Amino acid sequence: MYKHILVPIAPGNGRDSDTALKVAERLLAEGGSITALHVIEELPPYVQDHFPPGQLAATSLRMEEKLEEAVAGREDTQVAVVTGHAALTILDFAKNKGCDCIVIASHAPAMQDFLLGSTAARVVRHAECSVHVVR
């Protein structure tokens, strides 16, 4: 059983985040906690200039609200929204927050995943803690 489980969630991408949260609940030790995390990809400054001021803050707030809906009614679960490269940020968050397990939803690999790699694959390869992949 794990004391702090990280569940990366990307609302609206077709991954089954509810199943990942259920798996995390089953793996959670008594008194443990779950963090549902959403990573907003950073945009280069030359792209950010084309968005209205405050767009990142508004997007972060909207994602936080979606995460709150996804974890509604689940005890010992908090949410976090951060910016950065998805896989690297998930790995850094897990390490910095002392997570001992990551439960991440994935999909059946398509051709582009073999060429570019998926976020879940990168997390599995580089995590310093246990990783459970849910399909």
Side-chain angles (χ1 to χ4, degrees), residues 7-113:
V7 182
I9 296 177
N13 73 352
R15 309 287 194 292
D16 190 358
S17 58
D18 189 55
T19 299
L21 287 165
K22 287 178 183 176
V23 168
E25 288 173 332
R26 283 187 233 129
L27 295 171
L28 190 63
E30 189 173 330
S33 65
I34 297 171
T35 300
L37 174 71
H38 179 73
V39 179
I40 298 173
E41 290 282 341
E42 284 187 6
L43 296 174
Y46 63 87
V47 173
Q48 289 179 20
D49 291 343
H50 297 285
F51 286 96
Q55 181 65 46
L56 180 60
T59 301
S60 294
L61 182 60
R62 191 170 61 248
M63 286 298 116
E64 190 172 328
E65 290 169 354
K66 285 185 178 189
L67 283 182
E68 290 288 351
E69 288 174 17
V71 303
R74 289 186 158 93
E75 293 183 28
D76 304 316
T77 303
Q78 60 264 356
V79 301
V81 177
V82 295
T83 59
H85 177 274
L88 296 175
T89 303
I90 291 167
L91 294 166
D92 287 345
F93 190 95
K95 184 177 181 178
N96 294 337
K97 299 295 182 180
C99 298
D100 52 354
C101 181
I102 300 170
V103 177
I104 188 166
S106 187
H107 62 285
M111 182 55 74
Q112 72 264 16
D113 295 317

Side-chain angles (χ1 to χ4, degrees), residues 91 94-95 99-102 123-131:
L91 294 166
K95 184 177 181 178
C99 298
D100 52 354
C101 181
I102 300 170
V123 169
V124 167
R125 283 194 303 268
H126 300 288
E128 295 181 12
C129 62
S130 297
V131 179

